[in-house]
Amino acid sequence: RDSKATVSVLNCYCTHTHTLPTQEHPMAFAKVDEARKAFAEVINRGGMVNNEANAAAGQAVTEARYAQYAETQSIYPTTYPKKAAGDGSAIFKAADEAGEGVVTYKEMSKYIARNLSTIKMLLAEGFESFNTKFSVEDLRDCSKEEFMKLWQEAAAMRAAAEAKAAEAHVPGEQATDRSALPPTSTFKEDHAKKAASYEEIVPEGADFKFSLGHQEMSRVMKALEDIFNSQPCEWLPVDAIANLLSVELAYEDTAEFEDALGGEFADFVHGLPNAELSTNERGTKVLKIKKDEPGPPRTMTLKIEDRSHLWHVLMQAPDARVEIPELEFEFQPMGERKIDTIYNHIASAVWNLGCYVRDAQGQLTSTVEGKILDTIMLLNKCLDVEHPFTVVVTDPTSRSLWQPITGVAVEYANDAQAEAA
């Protein structure tokens, strides 16, 4: 990860003043502001990135916001503005690691590729034009002044597009002012009253009872696969892997890592569809990750009739489509494997849709926004299993896996393919 590239993204979480009245709980809001100000100072110092200081400052913001919510029962700040494009000087400084005041167009092209999401976010509609100016085959020098000129031209394109969007209105319709509404992270809001923690949301009878949210689950799986990809051995000791993961994921020790999991690491991997546990001749628990081998196309269907079914773990292959036909809703292939419970697959879709509505503030008509919010509401009903629904996985290369497989109906195009599988 390029830590420098995160600075400009983090700035947008640290520079927005609150919009809620503070008369009733002035200290709670003030502590959040103080923590965010300190966070901004840490990440804007320049020079060598201090990851430990960044993490400590970020943790302080988290703790202050949780304490504020516990005291006031309100979210603060209610909205964050889009990060301004800036003049490009910070981006150039990050790319110019030697501090020479000049980089080649090739070096800048590589820097842009490494930090694509950040730069796309900053330049938005101006990004495509900006990106065409740089090539890995271009060895010419690019000065800071030249770079800033190109950057500001792209930033002007973004500003023009935003101004045009603000002026565009469908006759008879008016874009909704999202700043007056609560954030659309309905997963957390709807379940906050039902459970004080993720563990309490997990129903009795669930096969996978670990407390990781979607993002942390992705981090653990990525680190686990990286460990196996770097080792020649097929089987590795479970305890050693747990220790390696605790280091890689910046936990204090294995105990803290397992505390975050909500149970022992061996039990966690036992619930993963692509993992296999065994005991070697010395009595040591060992683990291997199953090879990603393609097979004939197939369709897998799971009927969700009880909340415990939401804790089936699905490994969605990069080319697999996941659908809830009752809602005509589809989880598009993401180009990479995704391992998570059905609960978290749906909850992350709720989160992503909510973020889209929030980020498109003022650009969506009330009709379009209403349809998206209706979809979020229906997906939240799926999380409560108010009515039975179906999860259908169209798996063209047979690389998607379930754990447990119990209740999953698997269909192949013909008997010969089924027998071969």
Side-chain angles (χ1 to χ4, degrees), residues 70-257:
E71 181 178 338
T72 68
Q73 294 297 297
S74 61
I75 295 172
Y76 173 83
T78 54
T79 58
Y80 292 96
K82 288 185 177 180
K83 173 66 179 174
D87 61 5
S89 58
I91 298 294
F92 185 88
K93 181 179 179 181
D96 181 20
E97 296 180 352
E100 298 174 346
V102 65
V103 297
T104 66
Y105 278 80
K106 177 180 179 178
E107 289 170 338
M108 185 58 73
S109 177
K110 289 183 176 181
Y111 180 84
I112 293 170
R114 290 198 307 270
N115 301 282
L116 195 62
S117 60
T118 298
I119 296 175
K120 269 189 172 182
M121 181 272 294
L122 292 171
L123 294 180
E125 291 83 359
F127 172 77
E128 293 301 331
S129 174
F130 174 79
N131 195 38
T132 59
K133 306 293 194 301
F134 300 91
S135 168
V136 293
E137 298 176 355
D138 192 343
L139 300 179
R140 293 178 301 148
D141 286 340
C142 178
S143 68
K144 180 178 179 180
E145 291 73 20
E146 291 170 348
F147 177 83
M148 289 177 62
K149 180 181 178 182
L150 295 173
W151 182 275
Q152 289 164 24
E153 288 173 356
M157 292 181 188
R158 168 187 160 176
E162 290 175 348
K164 184 176 180 180
E167 295 173 358
H169 294 287
V170 176
E173 293 190 343
Q174 190 171 11
T176 305
D177 180 8
R178 298 300 303 167
S179 64
L181 299 177
T184 51
S185 53
T186 50
F187 159 60
K188 291 183 178 179
E189 293 171 3
D190 290 351
H191 291 86
K193 297 178 182 178
K194 299 178 184 178
S197 68
Y198 186 98
E199 292 93 327
E200 294 176 19
I201 296 175
V202 181
E204 290 294 328
D207 292 282
F208 190 81
K209 298 184 177 181
F210 291 87
S211 58
L212 288 182
H214 165 66
Q215 291 183 334
E216 189 65 6
M217 181 75 165
S218 298
R219 281 210 320 142
V220 171
M221 292 311 306
K222 177 67 167 60
L224 180 60
E225 290 178 349
D226 286 348
I227 289 172
F228 273 88
N229 290 337
S230 67
Q231 301 295 324
C233 302
E234 184 180 21
W235 295 88
L236 294 174
V238 170
D239 290 344
I241 297 174
N243 184 58
L244 278 172
L245 285 173
S246 66
V247 173
E248 287 292 324
L249 299 172
Y251 288 97
E252 186 173 328
D253 51 28
T254 303
E256 186 183 39
F257 174 49

Side-chain angles (χ1 to χ4, degrees), residues 304 306-312 341-343 382-383 385 389:
I304 306 293
D306 182 85
R307 291 194 72 244
S308 64
H309 298 161
L310 294 172
W311 269 261
H312 274 60
T341 60
I342 294 300
Y343 188 98
C382 287
L383 293 177
V385 194
F389 64 95

Side-chain angles (χ1 to χ4, degrees), residues 340-402:
D340 221 328
T341 60
I342 294 300
Y343 188 98
N344 274 347
H345 275 279
I346 296 173
S348 65
V350 169
W351 173 260
N352 290 332
L353 287 171
C355 288
Y356 175 75
V357 172
R358 193 163 55 245
D359 292 343
Q361 177 181 344
Q363 300 176 35
L364 300 176
T365 65
S366 57
T367 301
V368 172
E369 186 175 90
K371 289 180 179 179
I372 297 174
L373 295 178
D374 286 345
T375 300
I376 291 174
M377 178 189 68
L378 292 171
L379 289 171
N380 270 311
K381 288 184 177 181
C382 287
L383 293 177
D384 291 323
V385 194
E386 293 188 7
H387 302 285
F389 64 95
T390 312
V391 176
V392 179
V393 181
T394 303
D395 192 24
T397 54
S398 279
R399 292 184 295 160
S400 296
L401 299 171
W402 288 91

